[in-house]
């Protein structure tokens, strides 16, 4: 598809939006492929700036790496490469392999939570759900300090996030078999009461009031447990999009970050221009996310703007037509077009895993390939 001509006409004072990425990784046994509970050892083995850019996660077999605030994709890519290299090396020193995959592909025998009061409270509140096998996501932050604007942007994002979810699908395998879903991580997370599509909110006051009511009802422990697919971050002046599986390669992650930033930029302009967000029923939004998790880009997606199912790549083309002006303004259009062409040729992370599994019949060969993609610069 030939994307419409983009014009550089930044609205108001939005300027060039900053961005950052949080990536969660599994720590796997190099021989068995099962999860290894060595996160503490890996974090202790990190060196240099990477030690300050890691976070403790909810599983002993996970490690999260967090970029600083970045101004452009080159800066973001440099940080992602450096953080992955540091984490790969630290994992190796701890006897593990760092693997960018959305859900535990084989087994996780050790499922206790880290010895922290908050994690113990979550374990008591949510029971077996809190002890599911580890899952790993990619969270993209886009600088937007105006919380009222951020809430309205999240309303507009609702119709597009299933497309982003499909692009990131990278977890078809679980417990040693193909689940039939491109993103099993998405299915596994649905058991948590505070995870899912972002509700529609009339204002930031409506957002805050709803969160307070959910905390009072015992659904969430606190505001940090708002795990909706898009939210005004509880920690940073950003819109945080957390719908995607962790990406197998750095270029996959940078592509997703570029698309999310451009979406936030375009939709913020729409909000300021008085364009209303589509009021789509929550059940249809949930259905669109299920379809994205099931099919990835290899089938159909639900078009929440017009209704009905359409080929997934048609909706990717629509997304690109929407965000092309912002991509051009940020200097990202050429990179994104090249990476989408690669994705169309090679498939999502889920499609790549299935191809290796079909060729070899060996799930450990899939893990070998994922580890190589994770470490590649």
């Amino acid at each position: 598809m030939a994307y419409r001509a983009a014009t550089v006409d930044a609205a108001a004072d939005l300027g060039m939006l900053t961005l950052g990425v949080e990536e969660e990784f599994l720590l796997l046994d190099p021989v068995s492929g099962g999860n290894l509970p060595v996160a503490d050892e890996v974090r202790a083995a990190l060196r240099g700036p990477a030690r300050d850019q890691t976070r403790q996660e909810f599983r002993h077999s996970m490690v999260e790496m967090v970029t600083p605030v970045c101004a452009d994709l080159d800066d973001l890519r440099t940080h992602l490469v450096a953080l992955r290299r540091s984490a790969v090396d630290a994992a190796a020193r701890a006897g593990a392999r760092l693997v960018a995959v959305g859900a535990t592909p084989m087994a996780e025998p050790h499922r206790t939570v880290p010895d922290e009061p908050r994690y113990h409270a979550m374990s008591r509140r949510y029971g077996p759900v809190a002890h599911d096998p580890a899952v790993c996501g990619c969270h993209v932050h886009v600088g937007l300090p105006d919380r009222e604007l951020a809430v309205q942007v999240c309303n507009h994002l609702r119709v597009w996030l299933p497309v982003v979810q499909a692009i990131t699908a990278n977890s078809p395998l679980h417990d040693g078999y193909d689940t039939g879903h491109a993103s099993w991580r998405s299915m596994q997370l649905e058991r948590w009461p505070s995870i899912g599509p972002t509700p529609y909110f009339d204002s930031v006051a409506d957002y805050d009031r709803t969160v307070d009511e959910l905390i009072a009802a015992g659904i969430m422990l606190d505001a940090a447990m708002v795990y909706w697919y898009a939210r005004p971050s509880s920690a940073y002046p950003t819109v945080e999009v957390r719908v995607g599986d962790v990406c197998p390669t750095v270029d996959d992650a940078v592509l997703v970050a570029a698309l999310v930033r451009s979406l936030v930029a375009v939709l913020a302009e729409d909000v300021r221009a008085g364009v209303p967000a589509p009021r789509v029923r929550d059940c249809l939004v949930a259905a669109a996310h299920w379809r994205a998790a099931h099919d990835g880009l290899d089938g159909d997606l639900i078009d929440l703007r017009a209704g009905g199912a359409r080929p997934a790549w048609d909706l990717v083309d629509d997304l690109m037509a929407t965000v092309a002006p912002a991509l051009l303004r940020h200097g990202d259009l050429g990179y994104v077009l090249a990476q989408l062409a690669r994705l169309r040729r090679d498939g999502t992370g889920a499609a790549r895993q299935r191809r290796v599994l079909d060729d070899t019949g060996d799930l450990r060969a899939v893990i070998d390939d994922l580890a190589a993609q994770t470490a590649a610069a």
Side-chain angles (χ1 to χ4, degrees):
M1 176 179 179
Y3 300 110
R4 72 173 182 234
T7 58
V8 183
D9 56 350
D13 59 347
L14 287 173
M16 306 291 279
L17 302 183
T18 58
L19 75 169
V21 170
E22 301 167 353
E23 291 192 295
E24 298 167 341
F25 302 98
L26 283 186
L27 301 166
L28 302 185
D29 188 299
V31 177
S32 72
N35 293 20
L36 277 182
V38 293
D40 289 345
E41 292 91 327
V42 171
R43 293 178 64 230
L46 287 168
R47 297 171 179 169
R51 178 168 291 185
D52 296 326
Q53 291 172 250
T54 187
R55 302 289 185 270
Q56 184 175 52
E57 267 300 332
F58 195 55
R59 287 285 175 270
H60 293 285
S61 60
M62 292 174 61
V63 63
E64 181 181 52
M65 306 302 295
V66 180
T67 73
V69 177
C70 299
D72 55 53
L73 296 191
D74 286 342
D75 190 26
L76 178 68
R77 192 179 193 284
T78 297
H79 284 293
L80 288 172
V81 168
L83 289 173
R84 285 193 179 208
R85 284 177 172 165
S86 295
V88 165
D89 290 345
R93 288 194 289 276
R97 301 176 82 175
L98 189 84
V99 179
V101 62
T104 294
M106 294 191 68
E108 184 173 20
H110 185 90
R111 300 189 197 175
T112 61
V113 300
D115 191 16
E116 297 287 343
R118 177 179 174 79
Y119 292 149
H120 287 303
M122 292 170 70
S123 179
R124 290 191 299 270
R125 176 69 57 85
Y126 303 106
V129 173
H131 298 271
D132 280 345
V135 293
C136 297
C138 174
H139 306 160
V140 179
H141 288 261
V142 180
L144 207 64
D146 182 335
R147 289 189 76 239
E148 187 68 59
L149 180 59
V151 166
Q152 298 303 323
V153 165
C154 289
N155 288 339
H156 283 258
L157 279 168
R158 281 160 48 94
V159 299
W160 290 113
L161 289 187
V163 184
V164 176
Q165 181 181 19
I167 290 170
T168 68
N170 186 39
S171 53
L173 307 175
H174 175 66
D175 203 22
Y177 67 93
D178 191 327
T179 65
H181 292 74
S183 173
W184 186 247
R185 166 186 166 273
S186 299
M187 297 295 96
Q188 197 169 312
L189 286 174
E190 283 192 352
R191 286 154 54 90
W192 288 84
S194 61
I195 294 179
T198 309
Y200 187 102
F201 295 104
D202 292 328
S203 64
V204 69
D206 184 25
Y207 178 94
D208 290 339
R209 182 170 55 251
T210 302
V211 171
D212 287 343
E213 290 174 356
L214 289 169
I215 294 170
I219 304 303
M220 306 173 186
L221 297 182
D222 51 42
M225 284 197 70
V226 174
Y227 296 145
W228 295 320
Y229 294 153
R231 65 178 186 178
S233 171
S234 61
Y236 308 108
T238 65
V239 167
E240 180 184 4
V241 171
R242 46 189 302 120
V243 71
D245 290 355
V246 66
C247 297
T249 72
V250 167
D251 280 320
D252 291 322
V254 177
L255 168 64
V256 171
L259 290 172
V260 169
R261 175 168 70 166
S262 63
L263 258 178
V264 170
V266 166
L267 298 178
E269 293 173 8
D270 284 350
V271 172
R272 290 190 167 182
V275 178
R279 295 296 295 261
V280 183
R281 291 180 179 177
D282 289 347
C283 61
L284 294 177
V285 178
H289 280 288
W290 181 88
R291 192 64 185 265
H294 187 272
D295 288 15
L297 294 179
D298 293 325
D300 290 341
L301 296 176
I302 296 175
D303 187 342
L304 288 171
R305 300 160 303 154
R310 296 173 55 203
W313 276 100
D314 286 358
L315 284 174
V316 175
D317 287 339
D318 286 357
L319 172 63
M320 275 299 297
T322 299
V323 303
L327 288 171
L328 182 63
R329 183 166 73 243
H330 286 101
D332 300 341
L333 184 59
Y335 175 87
V336 167
L337 288 172
Q339 293 305 317
L340 281 177
R342 175 186 59 82
L343 192 66
R344 194 185 292 261
R345 181 190 69 233
D346 296 342
T348 62
R352 289 173 235 168
Q353 289 183 52
R354 285 171 167 152
R355 189 159 55 242
V356 174
L357 188 61
D358 289 344
D359 289 345
T360 66
D362 185 355
L363 198 140
R364 280 173 292 190
V366 177
I367 293 173
D368 290 344
D369 184 67
L370 280 167
Q373 291 187 67
T374 303

